[in-house]
Amino acid sequence: LPSAYAWKGGFFMNKKILYFIGIVFVFSLGCLWHFFYPWSHQNFLVGLVAPVNESVPEHLKLLFFPFLIFSVFEYIKRGKKIKNFIFSKTLSVLFGMAVIVIVFYAYTAVLGTNLLPLDILTFLAGDMAAFYLSYRLT
């Protein structure tokens, strides 16, 4: 079974496959994360980790928390062997968040408005940027 193979360390041995899985995981969970606050009936505790409004800073939670969850699993499987693991993950998620902010404000400055498809692509760009930097640093 692929899932058993992955859990036993197979996918975790190949960093390119692992980070491709990470990009898909963070993108998928991040898209769902967007709806956690309304689904929780505006629960205060959920609002601490999920976006509560449509502002850009709130939407950075869409990258930060799924990336953190993936990084915890990665640390358990292989991170203890990497000396700069926590530093590289911290720098990577900050870089991904910066990409989201820069790309969002750049394209909205040019177009004069934001568009949902471009917002989603902006999130994907930040996700990919975070994993690219993480790949290069670890």
Side-chain angles (χ1 to χ4, degrees), residues 1-12 17 21:
L1 293 168
S3 59
Y5 175 74
W7 186 248
K8 288 182 180 177
F11 289 133
F12 289 95
I17 293 173
I21 292 168

Side-chain angles (χ1 to χ4, degrees), residues 73-90:
F73 284 115
E74 185 183 358
Y75 182 78
I76 291 167
K77 292 304 286 183
R78 67 185 285 273
K80 297 172 191 169
K81 300 173 189 169
I82 302 169
K83 289 183 180 182
N84 68 340
F85 184 84
I86 294 173
F87 174 76
S88 69
K89 292 297 177 176
T90 302

Side-chain angles (χ1 to χ4, degrees), residues 15-16 19 89 92 130-138:
K15 198 163 66 165
K16 286 182 182 179
Y19 283 2
K89 292 297 177 176
S92 297
F131 276 98
Y132 175 76
L133 186 60
S134 181
Y135 179 82
R136 300 295 296 173
L137 292 176
T138 54

